[in-house]
Amino acid sequence: MPTFHTYDGTELAYHLMGEGTPLICLPGGAMRASAYLGTLGGLAAHRQLILLDLRGTGGSAAPADPATYRCDRQTGDVEALRAHLGLERVDLLAHSAAGDLAALYAARYPERLRNLVLVAPTTRATGLPAVVRDAREAAALRSSQPWYEDALAALEEIWAGRMTDELRARARPFMYGRWDAAAREHAAGSPAQINAEAAARYAGEGAFDPAATVPALRTLEAPVLVLTGEYDTVLTPDRAAELAALFPHAEFAVQRGAAHFPWIDDAGAFARTIEAFLDPEVHSVRAGGVRLAHRVWGDPAAPPVVLAHGRCGNSGDWAHIAARLAATHRVYAFDFRGHGLSDWPGRYSFELFRDDLHGFLEARNLAGATVVGHSMGAAAAYLLAERHPGLIGRLVLEEPPPPLPLDPPRPVPEHPGGELDFDWPLVPSTDAQLNAPDPAGRELLGEITAPTLVIGGGPGSRIAQEDLARMARRIPGAEHVTIDAGHLVHTERPEEFLAALRSFGM
């Protein structure tokens, strides 16, 4: 366990998890040892987590002066850790009560921050008071739970200013999206991990000066993400939006089905949201309530092209093609719901993927763009072009599944096992649609007005090429070319694929 000495000589400990770009993580509690953060839902698979034990917690020593437990005094500890690590600027994540510590650090050392992630943070440093009415409404969303009445009674006592260990324990189910065995185990460690004396001093008199802090945060150049859970009674979604509005470059996210410890409630959703925010090459928009991650290449003034990936893929599948197209185009490649770093809401259909494409085009103001879709992405594209003529400027369909019943139909698929980088339920859902597609998809092909190029993969493809040719004939004026590459034309034969696009006028 590595250690360092902070500004007053106190020896502080931190824990390293994973590899990659460092992410300093500040635990809440207040004053809870960092062990409860774990791997932050598997975020350690993508980042090197630096979990700081605040003074007097976990492996860190208690200070000689207990007054230094006060939140504002601990900003010096964070700065000392940064200097110890030899980092010019840092990515900083703070949970719960550490949100106040992070806000004070950002106000005091703005030039040292590259990115700031606030997970279900408290808001005393910014002067946003807790609103019991909002918290009560959030609690009411759990009214069907068997523990609700007793936990709510304990919360009411806490809201009235009467906090005891017994009341905290009774109210604890509200802190988790599911009060299951994993949540109970996580919660059971809390009492032993919190330094009660330090917690009592953390928000002591003089710790916070919102009148000075808020103006400093309004000029912060670092991007900020405020993330909270749908059910959180500490930082409700409305309050998260209000907090995010204090920063000039901020976004806020609400994790569905989660409460105060979102990485416990849905590790994958949490890690994907944080990873997408921290990756400088990934951007996010919201479309129909779904966060869609995407990547961008090329001159913003160049003609736009949107690349839509196939099933079980992601925007990274287009990296080579996108880099080549970026010489003459502004290129966007996004992850459909259930794929890559976008949200995985659990419900999937070709119509929902169509809606993702529609929402993305609108969110990025890309009406009239060329859309290049592969397989599932091509299906989403032609379904959208059928219903919204004029929205898509030019249309390229690479190996689209024709809207004809499969013969023989696909059997019910079995999960392959192990971790997947897509949400498995999308496979059986779309297989069922491939077996029995909506006839409207075929009947409306004649409504497509965008100039269209259909690219088939030849005899090595799993798509019946005669059905593909029949589909192309139903689209007015469509061009149809075959590149003998199988289903993954743009991957297996990129030069021929690009040549076909150039011949099409791209």
Side-chain angles (χ1 to χ4, degrees):
M1 178 176 57
T3 63
F4 66 102
H5 288 86
T6 187
Y7 67 92
D8 64 351
T10 304
E11 187 176 33
L12 303 183
Y14 60 95
H15 308 265
L16 300 176
M17 290 192 178
E19 297 180 352
T21 304
L23 175 63
I24 294 177
C25 304
L26 306 180
M31 301 306 294
R32 183 173 178 179
S34 66
Y36 82 95
L37 296 174
T39 65
L40 284 173
L43 194 58
H46 311 282
R47 285 273 174 153
Q48 181 184 56
L49 305 185
I50 301 170
L51 309 178
L52 175 64
D53 283 338
L54 302 181
R55 52 180 56 216
T57 70
S60 291
D65 181 4
T68 61
Y69 284 132
R70 207 174 70 177
C71 182
D72 59 319
R73 303 284 293 275
Q74 295 192 60
T75 59
D77 295 344
V78 181
E79 176 61 6
L81 174 58
R82 180 205 63 78
H84 165 75
L85 296 170
L87 300 174
E88 185 67 23
R89 293 193 302 156
V90 298
D91 292 335
L92 184 64
L93 180 148
H95 175 243
S96 192
D100 288 319
L101 174 56
L104 294 180
Y105 180 81
R108 185 176 176 184
Y109 300 101
E111 73 284 358
R112 297 304 188 187
L113 274 180
R114 183 168 50 219
N115 294 286
L116 175 60
V117 180
L118 302 174
V119 180
T122 51
T123 57
R124 290 164 294 190
T126 54
L128 298 177
V131 178
V132 172
R133 180 189 68 253
D134 293 347
R136 190 176 285 117
E137 290 175 356
L141 297 174
R142 322 295 295 283
S143 60
S144 63
Q145 299 299 318
W147 45 259
Y148 174 76
E149 294 296 339
D150 181 64
L152 180 62
L155 260 189
E156 292 288 358
E157 290 291 312
I158 292 171
W159 289 332
R162 294 180 287 276
M163 171 67 83
T164 66
D165 290 342
E166 185 263 340
L167 290 173
R168 188 195 299 268
R170 286 170 52 196
R172 201 158 280 146
F174 280 116
M175 305 294 275
Y176 298 87
R178 297 181 308 278
W179 189 233
D180 56 13
R184 293 171 193 267
E185 181 181 1
H186 187 262
S190 178
Q193 292 170 340
I194 290 179
N195 181 329
E197 177 193 2
R201 293 178 178 270
Y202 185 75
E205 184 177 356
F208 307 122
D209 182 8
T213 301
V214 170
L217 297 181
R218 291 194 184 279
T219 63
L220 184 68
E221 289 300 314
V224 178
L225 172 66
V226 180
L227 184 151
T228 195
E230 176 185 8
Y231 301 137
D232 195 6
T233 58
V234 177
L235 185 79
T236 63
D238 285 348
R239 185 48 52 91
E242 190 175 352
L243 176 61
L246 297 180
F247 300 92
H249 309 290
E251 58 186 89
F252 81 98
V254 178
Q255 185 171 315
R256 294 173 179 170
H260 197 59
F261 299 95
W263 67 93
I264 299 295
D265 298 322
D266 187 336
F270 179 83
R272 285 189 297 275
T273 301
I274 303 300
E275 184 185 352
F277 172 74
L278 291 175
D279 189 331
E281 296 184 357
V282 176
H283 312 272
S284 292
V285 296
R286 289 205 163 268
V290 176
R291 182 183 56 80
L292 300 176
H294 62 283
R295 294 171 169 84
V296 184
W297 297 259
D299 184 348
V305 174
V306 176
L307 306 178
H309 65 79
R311 192 175 74 169
C312 306
N314 58 64
S315 56
D317 297 345
W318 291 107
H320 177 71
I321 297 298
R324 296 286 297 276
L325 289 175
T328 54
H329 293 80
R330 178 69 161 177
V331 185
Y332 301 82
F334 74 99
D335 295 341
F336 282 101
R337 69 179 66 204
H339 296 79
L341 295 179
S342 290
D343 284 347
W344 294 13
R347 292 179 57 251
Y348 305 100
S349 68
F350 284 109
E351 291 75 20
L352 288 173
F353 296 134
R354 173 201 68 198
D355 294 345
D356 286 347
L357 176 57
H358 190 182
F360 182 78
L361 293 174
E362 290 192 335
R364 293 305 309 250
N365 194 27
L366 292 172
T370 295
V371 174
V372 180
H374 172 240
S375 193
M376 180 196 79
Y382 75 67
L383 290 176
L384 179 61
E386 290 175 342
R387 288 158 178 78
H388 295 277
L391 180 62
I392 294 173
R394 299 174 75 82
L395 181 62
V396 178
L397 305 176
E398 175 196 354
E399 282 281 291
L404 299 167
L406 290 180
D407 184 19
R410 291 184 181 179
V412 176
E414 295 185 6
H415 194 291
E419 292 290 328
L420 303 173
D421 58 2
F422 60 89
D423 197 7
W424 172 252
L426 68 88
V427 174
S429 295
T430 51
D431 271 1
Q433 287 192 285
L434 290 170
N435 288 338
D438 183 349
R442 178 174 65 257
E443 295 164 359
L444 294 176
L445 287 171
E447 301 297 317
I448 295 176
T449 60
T452 302
L453 171 65
V454 179
I455 300 177
S461 170
R462 64 191 182 195
I463 300 288
Q465 298 296 291
E466 60 273 19
D467 289 343
L468 201 60
R470 189 178 306 123
M471 175 185 174
R473 288 194 294 270
R474 295 180 69 102
I475 300 173
E479 300 179 31
H480 179 208
V481 301
T482 299
I483 299 173
D484 191 5
H487 189 58
L488 302 174
V489 180
H490 73 273
T491 300
E492 299 297 327
R493 298 286 181 85
E495 295 303 325
E496 293 177 50
F497 181 81
L498 288 164
L501 298 189
R502 287 193 295 271
S503 296
F504 184 56
M506 289 180 57

